[in-house]
Amino acid sequence: MSPTRRVVVVLVGLAVAALVVPPGLVAVAVVALVSATAVDASVARRRPAIAVDVPAVLARGVPAPLAVTASAPPGTAVTLEVRQPLTPDLAVAPALGIGRIEGTVTGLRRGRHRLPGPAARATGPLGLGRWDHRHPAATEVAVYPDLPAARKLAISVRQGRFADQGRLTRGPLGLGTDFESVREYSPDDDIRQVNWRATARLARPMSNQYRVDQDRDVVCVVDTGRLMAAPLPGGATRLDAALDAVAAVAMVADEVGDRCGTLAFGADVRRRTSPRRRGGRAVVDVLFDLEPEPVESDYDLAFRRVGGGKRALVIVFTDLLDEGAARPLVEAVPVLARRHAVVVASASDPDLADMVAGPMSTPLDAYAASVAAEVLEARTRVAHQLARAGAQVVEAAPARLGAACVSTYLTLKSRARL
């Protein structure tokens, strides 16, 4: 219980009035004020009903609706001020309201988090006394990778609107595809796709439509070692960018009828799920709360766990730092490349390119540009070594890594490389 500002103002007024009013009268007024404050606070002491409506699953960096409502007990006329406590991993805006908060909550960090119970400050009908009430229960919230962006990519693939580089939106021509139908020729069709008999019979260009093979295996191998803890612009880590891309690949695999699985590793295998139909959500559920470990990643161990079994597309999400750090990765890639189609995916750092291309007005700028150029050249050399070892390298900005991996996946699929 605590008095309001109104009580303080009245007390100051009575103190000033004591200079001209008989002290006994002022004392009576003070006793009346204290009594009124106590009665007002007793009314505010009755616990209000507090309800919190928040999604159980959030996507990192994507605002979701949040509603906090405080209802006064029946028969009481109190004013309720609602406040939602904040945490470092969850952002709430706005965090304060009268009787109700209608705002958004944003997950800033993947994993399982607790949203503290809101507090309600009840002020009595006279505005003299107030009482603070706390909702005793915290709300469990799971923050996943960026699923809305992954679903958007999957929908664009389903509707034939995915136009990232390398994507064939119509009948693929690779081995292992089945003829489906004959349709009107489109300017972006390959010449080998033209059906010459139908073209001669109908006197207009016609093309064969092919059906892409399904039930191929896609395995997302995620490095969770120390290199993946490196920060990227915007506050995310390389592991955050990798898991956003994994979610995109998994959702697209569900959409095109392939089986998707995953393996996460550091010094040892941390999480694993075998490829399965409609396995995209299972992949995300297994990986969403992983955090980087301060250990050296054992690529050879992880790749040998994947190496046996049916031929698959194996996408390795890691960081291409320098030749020394990447040597274990380069040496381990042939373990996979002998049997599988291997893609090594890494998020690039836009700041490095900006340092090289930006103006150099001071010696410090020139030095930073020189270091950035050396880092970029080292990454390029590592990419060439991986290509010679049998892997295809995909490097893109963090926001585009998912689309780049999906483009490579669909291109390899259309060419019957899986």
Side-chain angles (χ1 to χ4, degrees):
M1 177 265 183
S2 60
T4 64
R5 184 178 298 179
R6 182 177 298 180
V7 175
V8 177
V9 172
V10 174
L11 284 175
V12 172
L14 290 176
V16 174
L19 299 176
V20 294
V21 176
L25 187 59
V26 173
V28 171
V30 170
V31 171
L33 177 62
V34 172
S35 300
T37 301
V39 172
D40 211 36
S42 67
V43 176
R45 184 177 182 178
R46 299 180 61 185
R47 180 175 293 276
I50 303 177
V52 181
D53 183 14
V54 60
V57 176
L58 306 177
R60 185 184 62 83
V62 180
L66 168 71
V68 180
T69 305
S71 304
T76 58
V78 298
T79 302
L80 293 172
E81 181 181 351
V82 187
R83 183 184 299 272
Q84 174 60 58
L86 305 180
T87 71
D89 301 321
L90 301 171
V92 176
L96 184 66
I98 302 300
R100 181 178 176 84
I101 296 176
E102 288 189 0
T104 60
V105 57
T106 305
L108 305 178
R109 183 167 170 262
R110 288 177 299 98
R112 301 183 186 277
H113 307 292
R114 293 170 62 88
L115 183 66
R121 172 170 289 178
T123 303
L126 300 178
L128 300 176
R130 61 191 179 193
W131 205 282
D132 291 336
H133 303 275
R134 184 69 179 270
H135 194 284
T139 305
E140 296 286 345
V141 175
V143 180
Y144 276 57
D146 192 354
L147 292 181
R151 293 192 183 102
K152 184 177 179 180
L153 277 174
I155 291 172
S156 67
V157 170
R158 179 201 310 164
Q159 297 176 347
R161 295 186 291 105
F162 182 76
D164 205 80
Q165 184 178 6
R167 167 63 175 151
L168 297 177
T169 57
R170 294 181 174 85
L173 298 173
L175 299 174
T177 57
D178 298 326
F179 174 80
E180 187 175 55
S181 63
V182 178
R183 58 168 173 78
E184 295 282 348
Y185 174 81
S186 176
D188 59 354
D189 287 344
D190 191 285
I191 190 65
R192 296 170 295 168
Q193 199 171 342
V194 175
N195 188 315
W196 297 107
R197 291 185 179 180
T199 297
R201 184 169 62 252
L202 298 176
R204 63 179 187 274
M206 302 296 291
S207 292
N208 293 327
Q209 175 75 37
Y210 293 87
R211 182 172 58 252
V212 181
D213 289 333
Q214 295 183 339
D215 292 324
R216 301 308 186 198
D217 284 0
V218 180
V219 180
C220 298
V221 179
V222 183
D223 177 9
T224 64
R226 64 176 182 84
L227 296 179
M228 300 300 281
L232 292 169
T237 64
R238 291 191 175 276
L239 184 58
D240 289 327
L243 292 185
D244 287 346
V246 169
V249 172
M251 295 298 173
V252 171
D254 285 354
E255 194 61 47
V256 300
D258 286 337
R259 294 187 292 263
C260 189
T262 188
L263 182 145
F265 72 100
D268 198 357
V269 174
R270 299 179 61 186
R271 308 279 176 85
R272 185 177 187 180
T273 179
S274 300
R276 68 185 75 171
R277 289 295 300 271
R278 311 300 299 177
R281 187 54 186 260
V283 167
V284 176
D285 288 342
V286 165
L287 300 178
F288 84 93
D289 58 348
L290 279 176
E291 292 295 338
E293 295 180 316
V295 297
E296 296 293 339
S297 299
D298 192 337
Y299 296 98
D300 186 70
L301 171 65
F303 292 176
R304 290 189 185 282
R305 294 287 181 90
V306 178
K310 179 181 176 182
R311 177 177 173 83
L313 168 64
V314 179
I315 307 179
V316 182
F317 294 89
T318 187
D319 182 30
L320 307 180
L321 186 60
D322 56 46
E323 293 168 288
R327 185 175 298 111
L329 170 62
V330 175
E331 293 174 350
V333 161
V335 174
L336 289 176
R338 284 194 293 265
R339 188 177 187 90
H340 305 288
V342 182
V343 173
V344 176
S346 178
S348 62
D349 192 341
D351 287 347
L352 295 177
D354 293 341
M355 289 180 187
V356 173
M360 289 173 281
S361 55
T362 66
L364 182 60
D365 293 336
Y367 178 74
S370 174
V371 173
E374 290 181 3
V375 172
L376 293 176
E377 289 175 2
R379 294 175 72 95
T380 301
R381 289 194 296 269
V382 171
H384 290 325
Q385 292 175 12
L386 289 170
R388 289 195 297 269
Q392 181 172 340
V393 177
V394 173
E395 193 171 9
R400 287 201 64 261
L401 184 60
C405 291
V406 168
S407 175
T408 301
Y409 163 38
L410 295 178
T411 300
L412 293 175
K413 183 178 176 66
S414 70
R415 294 174 180 173
R417 294 281 304 278
L418 310 189

